[in-house]
Amino acid sequence: MKFRITSHSGFTASTRLANAVDLLWQRLGAIHDEVSFAKVGSEITATWGEDVPASMKPDERAEIGRRAVLDIVREVCQRAPELELDWFAVGVFH
């Protein structure tokens, strides 16, 4: 399942936020636990490959995957004082 990490639309653009996705990418790396990441333009895509029961509803799977990606972003932001978790949004890639 694919997700997209973007700058959160709730924050106004500033110099610090303008390169927030680039800063996150530098700290994130391509593979982290069960998620692989790729930088595509101004966003980061995340592919979550965790096995979940086939009986689970698609929206439930999507929420579990989104939380897994968000948890990784949270960890990276906690280790990097120049990043704030609130700057980023994680959503299903359509």
Side-chain angles (χ1 to χ4, degrees):
M1 183 169 278
K2 278 192 125 169
F3 298 89
R4 164 181 18 213
I5 303 168
T6 58
S7 295
H8 197 284
S9 63
F11 288 87
T12 57
S14 72
T15 304
R16 200 168 176 194
L17 289 176
N19 64 351
V21 172
D22 291 331
L23 289 172
L24 178 64
W25 174 245
Q26 291 171 8
R27 307 291 183 282
L28 195 56
I31 298 174
H32 199 291
D33 296 328
E34 72 275 0
V35 181
S36 61
F37 297 93
K39 177 94 167 49
V40 181
S42 62
E43 62 187 35
I44 298 169
T45 60
T47 304
W48 177 67
E50 187 69 25
D51 291 329
V52 293
S55 61
M56 190 176 283
K57 294 179 183 177
D59 59 331
E60 291 173 322
R61 278 195 302 270
E63 184 57 22
I64 291 170
R66 190 187 78 76
R67 289 210 176 256
V69 172
L70 187 60
D71 286 346
I72 293 168
V73 173
R74 178 180 290 113
E75 284 178 27
V76 170
C77 288
Q78 288 174 340
R79 291 190 317 257
E82 69 276 13
L83 295 173
E84 296 286 334
L85 178 62
D86 292 344
W87 293 349
F88 304 102
V90 177
V92 175
F93 189 89
H94 295 284

